[in-house]
Amino acid sequence: MRSSLSLNLSHATKTESKQIRLWLWAGCFCVGLIVCSAPNASAQDSTTAEPPTSQSSAGPAASPPDEKPRRTYLGRIVAQPMGHQGAPWLIRDNRDDEENASESFVQLQLTDGMVVCDLGCGNGYWTLPMAKKVGESGRVLAVDIQREMLQKLRVRGAKAKLRNIEPILGSVDNPNLPLGEVDLILMVDVYHEFSHPESMLWHMHRALKPNGVIALLEYREEDPSVPIKPLHKMSKNQIMKEYERNHFKLVKEYNMLPWQHLMFFARDDSPLEAVDPVPAKQVLEALP
């Protein structure tokens, strides 16, 4: 039986939901126009539209990459991030029914005293239950690049009387995380929007403890039935290409979510053992 996740989230009103659906429809229409009018990713890769990758096979460089904003990365078109106006959609009533976030939360295996990060925290759909789970001795580093999102998070955290949440204003190329202190970095449907993916992964690599992991949730590109615009989906092959390029290895995955990949990556120098990803076709065939 699916757990309730005990998020205790304040949900959007019906009026807000209607407004957000209209906002999202308009946004998706604009994105559709952009996708249709843009050159395909492989064509852009052969031009100056995509800066060259700067990572080597010897391990992360001593200093962060000198990375320019990317339109594409390793053959993938970079999506535009959601604005803070869409915040009520993040805590919509049916989100757990659609995505089974409760099960994803269980798979994070959070315990008392952990230092965890909700990167791209928004208004705190994941941040609040993470804070409850790691307890007063733990810390949740809540990172967002929009001040408005962090303010919404502060309000919701105060109402829940949670004192172990640390809002952090990140930038497009630096999440501003402490060095070597983080047990888990959670990214939910946000990585594909990074305009500076190599810079962000460089900083995350340094922020993780040796046994620390990135928990990556992304909508499945391989499943056309997932009702999300293609620009906001990622395939397993693409994820593996990008993370291996940036000195991470897959150490765990969970393949029973209805819409999303859930993949756990450790630093390539981590003592955690690497695993091979289950092919997406096999995953889809096993889903109920």
Side-chain angles (χ1 to χ4, degrees):
M1 182 176 68
R2 182 182 302 180
S3 68
S4 65
L5 183 56
S6 301
L7 293 176
N8 295 326
L9 299 173
S10 59
H11 299 299
T13 64
K14 291 182 179 179
T15 301
E16 287 174 324
S17 297
K18 290 179 180 178
Q19 292 173 340
I20 296 305
R21 283 196 294 270
L22 289 172
W23 180 85
L24 288 171
W25 180 88
C28 289
F29 177 76
C30 293
V31 169
L33 289 177
I34 293 170
V35 173
C36 290
S37 61
N40 63 51
S42 59
Q44 289 188 12
D45 291 345
S46 63
T47 72
T48 57
E50 177 169 344
T53 58
S54 57
Q55 301 291 7
S56 72
S57 60
S63 57
D66 181 16
E67 188 175 20
K68 306 302 181 185
R70 295 181 183 272
R71 292 168 56 193
T72 66
Y73 184 55
L74 298 180
R76 171 180 62 86
I77 298 175
V78 175
Q80 295 297 310
M82 172 189 283
H84 65 90
Q85 300 89 342
W89 184 75
L90 299 174
I91 54 173
R92 62 195 183 276
D93 289 345
N94 62 343
R95 182 168 180 178
D96 193 37
D97 293 332
E98 292 176 340
E99 300 178 359
N100 200 354
S102 300
E103 183 59 27
S104 297
F105 189 79
V106 170
Q107 295 301 319
L108 300 182
Q109 299 182 352
L110 304 183
T111 57
D112 284 349
M114 290 180 71
V115 178
V116 297
C117 170
D118 185 4
L119 207 167
C121 61
N123 52 2
Y125 179 85
W126 292 88
T127 312
L128 271 62
M130 291 171 77
K132 294 174 184 176
K133 191 67 176 177
V134 301
E136 294 182 359
S137 61
R139 300 161 61 200
V140 181
L141 311 175
V143 180
D144 208 282
I145 63 172
Q146 300 181 73
R147 295 179 185 274
E148 298 88 347
M149 285 293 199
L150 292 178
Q151 181 56 31
K152 295 175 191 297
L153 170 65
R154 289 187 182 95
V155 171
R156 299 186 67 240
K159 287 182 179 179
K161 298 181 179 179
L162 294 168
R163 298 178 176 84
N164 59 347
I165 297 173
E166 302 176 23
I168 297 173
L169 182 65
S171 65
V172 294
D173 60 359
N174 189 345
N176 293 322
L177 295 173
L179 180 65
E181 294 185 16
V182 184
D183 294 294
L184 180 141
I185 299 172
L186 174 66
M187 288 188 287
V188 181
D189 307 320
V190 66
Y191 169 76
H192 68 275
E193 298 176 346
F194 289 170
S195 60
H196 297 70
E198 291 189 354
S199 300
M200 292 293 287
L201 289 171
W202 186 91
H203 286 288
M204 284 186 266
H205 196 284
R206 290 169 58 85
L208 287 174
K209 295 178 180 177
N211 287 334
V213 295
I214 292 174
L216 180 71
L217 275 159
E218 287 285 351
Y219 292 113
R220 287 192 190 98
E221 182 183 289
E222 300 92 338
D223 187 354
S225 70
V226 175
I228 299 295
K229 288 289 183 179
L231 200 63
H232 292 272
K233 296 180 179 182
M234 288 191 73
S235 70
K236 272 195 177 186
N237 287 341
Q238 185 68 32
I239 292 169
M240 291 298 298
K241 182 196 302 184
E242 297 186 20
Y243 276 70
E244 288 179 342
R245 174 70 66 93
N246 289 278
H247 310 291
F248 288 93
K249 60 184 176 182
L250 182 69
V251 295
K252 176 185 171 184
E253 60 178 346
Y254 182 73
N255 290 305
M256 297 307 294
L257 297 175
W259 286 2
Q260 294 156 303
H261 299 298
L262 174 53
M263 305 174 77
F264 295 81
F265 290 91
R267 294 168 12 185
D268 57 1
D269 62 349
S270 167
L272 298 176
E273 185 176 352
V275 301
D276 293 324
V278 177
K281 181 179 179 180
Q282 184 176 331
V283 170
L284 294 177
E285 289 173 348
L287 288 175

